[in-house]
Amino acid sequence: KTVIIGGGSGFIGTALSNLLRSCGYDVVIVSRVPGSFRMTWSELEQNGLPKNTAAVVSLAGQNILDMKRRWNSGFEQTVRASRINTTLSLAKAIEKADVKPSVFVSTSGVGYYPPHPSKVYTEYSEGGKGDYFAELCTDWELAAKLPTDVNTRQVIIRSGVVLGRRGGMIAQLYLPFFFGLGGPVGSGQQYLPWIHLHDIARLFLYAIEKENVEGVLNGVSPDLITSKQFARAFGGSLWRPALIPLPEFACNILLGSERARMLTEGQKVIPQRTLELGFEYNYPDIRSACQEFSPLIYTD
Ligand code: NDP
């Protein structure tokens, strides 16, 4: 059985591809760059999905927190197009396929729920409007919508910040924390919805394999933590104090204030449906997660 992954060359996509291959699937990545076991977006448009495609996954997207890129309208456009156009291309390819894949799993983010200091969000909560990221997620999820006459099961995973040793936020924070210069962002009181890389990859696999899984799942761990609690746990796993906060004004200067809100504000997101549907986490709490990606033994 073949799984097609748009953006499968990335941080989450690589973990998912490895997991799928270890479970006996063939994986084909849709990428801007040609290569073996890959197809480009224009090849997808011209040739459609390969035969025997059992599942399609949408995981492409320009890294929003890329410090090398200034937050301006051009970059915003890239952020949108790299998610929405790629997802639309996959949805179109499914629509055109003679033999439809049995499932389409598409990514969205917890940014769907606007930041709030106390509100608790589940998959049943309203969201999707109120700020740039909420609206981006709404349009991203809409792009994945297949016409009702297409008999392909649909799942949307709203991911929290993915924590893993070799990429994403941990890779960016590793050096400052290692040198004892890490700490909470801003006040540290804002919630940080997170999930371990292995668990998000397992959740995608779960969505692919379990026929009763449909609709929106929050891809976050059940352990609600604040930015301060994260800094303590991560610093602790490296035996570092993690007491030096990154002030909000510095984030605003580094990232631009709209983008900085991703770090300086947060939301309390619970994986209610994910748990109801029986998914079990390997890393349900921040201690076990930090232990996995730290080279040192965790103490607190
Ligand atoms: P990556 O930053 O690793 O990027 C994934 C892939 O997207 C890349 O390998 C690249 O594939 C493709 N891509 C990047 N920029 C563009 C572009 N401008 N146009 C078209 N394709 C592009 O992402 P992650 O694996 O970390 O995340 C995957 C998805 O999950 C993203 O959409 C992200 O927004 C979302 N997400 C991630 C979170 C995280 O903490 N990592 C949290 C919440 C959501 P190639 O170079 O092969 O074309």
Side-chain angles (χ1 to χ4, degrees), residues 41-52:
W41 292 99
S42 51
E43 281 165 350
L44 175 72
E45 202 180 321
Q46 275 160 29
N47 310 334
L49 293 174
K51 287 204 175 72
N52 306 325

Side-chain angles (χ1 to χ4, degrees), residues 169-240:
M169 193 169 93
I170 293 298
Q172 283 187 326
L173 293 181
Y174 195 86
L175 279 183
F177 271 77
F178 186 80
F179 287 111
L181 299 171
V185 175
S187 72
Q189 301 305 314
Q190 70 281 23
Y191 280 87
L192 179 76
W194 67 278
I195 185 164
H196 191 284
L197 178 64
H198 296 169
D199 278 335
I200 195 85
R202 289 177 56 249
L203 185 59
F204 275 91
L205 179 66
Y206 197 76
I208 289 170
E209 290 189 333
K210 295 278 173 191
E211 280 171 19
N212 62 327
V213 175
E214 204 157 13
V216 175
L217 298 181
N218 285 339
V220 296
S221 104
D223 186 21
L224 283 168
I225 59 163
T226 61
S227 169
K228 197 177 204 162
Q229 286 168 321
F230 165 74
R232 276 194 53 204
F234 185 45
S237 71
L238 297 171
W239 290 25
R240 298 295 186 271

Side-chain angles (χ1 to χ4, degrees), residues 28-35 38-48:
V28 176
I29 287 167
V30 191
S31 167
R32 292 166 298 176
V33 189
R38 286 189 182 207
M39 66 198 298
T40 61
W41 292 99
S42 51
E43 281 165 350
L44 175 72
E45 202 180 321
Q46 275 160 29
N47 310 334

Side-chain angles (χ1 to χ4, degrees), residues 23 33 54 78 108 121 135 137 142 146 164 172 175 194 196 208:
C23 295
V33 189
T78 309
S108 177
Y121 292 110
E135 281 158 24
C137 290
L142 263 178
L146 299 169
Q172 283 187 326
L175 279 183
W194 67 278
H196 191 284
I208 289 170

Side-chain angles (χ1 to χ4, degrees), residues 216-293:
V216 175
L217 298 181
N218 285 339
V220 296
S221 104
D223 186 21
L224 283 168
I225 59 163
T226 61
S227 169
K228 197 177 204 162
Q229 286 168 321
F230 165 74
R232 276 194 53 204
F234 185 45
S237 71
L238 297 171
W239 290 25
R240 298 295 186 271
L243 294 173
I244 302 176
L246 179 62
E248 192 169 330
F249 78 86
C251 279
N252 290 342
I253 293 170
L254 278 172
L255 296 167
S257 57
E258 194 169 31
R259 183 162 59 154
R261 291 184 67 213
M262 281 187 98
L263 301 180
T264 57
E265 296 179 11
Q267 55 282 85
K268 258 175 152 170
V269 183
I270 290 179
Q272 189 175 324
R273 279 198 85 229
T274 308
L275 290 167
E276 280 167 5
L277 286 162
F279 181 72
E280 287 175 15
Y281 292 78
N282 282 351
Y283 301 94
D285 58 88
I286 192 67
R287 269 166 151 263
S288 59
C290 286
Q291 227 164 4
E292 191 280 327
F293 48 69

